Amino acid sequence: CMGYSFQMWKFNLDTNCWTRVANLPEARRAPQVAYDANQDIVYMFGGKNVSYFLPNDLWMYPFKNQSWFKISSNRIITS
């Protein structure tokens, strides 16, 4: 069962343990996520929010800053 979540976790391959890192800017379901290992940054795009809208926004989470930054945002797409 997949629900909406504010939580972001990271997995340590050495210890086989999950650690809670941060809260997402908004609870989402199934956003697209990518990790840039060279810059140590997570990118998150879209997904579906609790109002069943599809946010057309792009966020970045640099681990050194430990904070989310909105890169771009366009209109919300309705489902």
Side-chain angles (χ1 to χ4, degrees):
C1 178
M2 191 168 80
Y4 298 91
S5 177
F6 278 104
Q7 300 176 3
M8 183 173 85
W9 295 74
K10 72 176 180 179
F11 185 74
N12 184 316
L13 293 172
D14 295 326
T15 63
N16 289 327
C17 291
W18 287 95
T19 304
R20 187 168 176 188
V21 177
N23 287 331
L24 300 176
E26 173 185 40
R28 299 189 180 214
R29 180 178 182 170
Q32 302 300 305
V33 178
Y35 175 65
D36 179 344
N38 292 329
Q39 299 293 319
D40 200 26
I41 296 173
V42 169
Y43 293 92
M44 178 181 70
F45 176 78
K48 185 179 276 191
N49 66 20
V50 295
S51 300
Y52 299 101
F53 289 108
L54 304 171
N56 191 20
D57 56 356
L58 178 63
W59 292 81
M60 65 183 281
Y61 184 90
F63 280 93
K64 69 178 180 182
N65 297 92
Q66 298 183 0
S67 186
W68 284 99
F69 298 95
K70 186 181 277 189
I71 297 173
S72 71
S73 177
N74 292 322
R75 63 182 169 77
I76 292 178
I77 304 167
T78 57
S79 57

